[in-house]
Amino acid sequence: MRIDILTVLPEMIEGALNCSILKRAQEKGLAEIYLHNLRDYSTDKWRRVDDYPFGGEAGMVMQIEPIDRAISALKEERTYDEVIFTSPDGERFDQPMANRLSMLGNLILLCGHYKGIDYRIREHLITKEISIGDYVLTGGELAAAVIADAVVRLLPGAIGDEQSALSDSFQDGLLAPPVYTRPAEYKGWKVPDILLSGHTLKIEEWRLQQAQERTARLRPDLLSD
Ligand code: ADE
């Protein structure tokens, strides 16, 4: 899979892409992720990519031209399954959406700035708008990093234990059950006996029951869905 991220602040995303599982997924050739600075597509001698809004509102608006030039340059090289704009007004990002995106080939993620992007970009160039939650960030960069992380870790081979992505919270509509590691007792706090019993089937039953109990207690909305 290939993800091209268009942003005015590549340095805000760079660290997140070059650590841990995302770094390894790229090294293994499972994912290619490229950061593109929108200023490189500006025709302005100061490399500006925003301007004052028509109608005299407060704040600056990202211009259509650098964004159109950047998207067109990418589309000349390959076809894209989605051109995604990160915005608080978008469709809410969740695990099923991450699963669907992970099955696509090429994605563009355009990092937006709330109230700050020429609306024609959204009308003519964007195929999907995604919000990572009902709150407003300073820009779409952290949202793009969240989306890239959630999607790339699902690629086959990205996580060492293939099973573990499937047993994540939300994958079966339930929160994940608790996990423990050595020591079996610490300061008198014990790991549940069942996990030390060696009864695979009973352990699976316990895990499911724990997942159901935690979901009912912490996220009852997931069960009513
Ligand atoms: N940009 C600003 N806030 C955002 C959010 N909640 N989700 C996605 N992009 C954003």
Side-chain angles (χ1 to χ4, degrees), residues 86-88 130-133 135-137 139-140 143:
T86 53
S87 153
I130 299 180
S131 162
I132 61 161
Y135 41 79
V136 180
L137 302 166

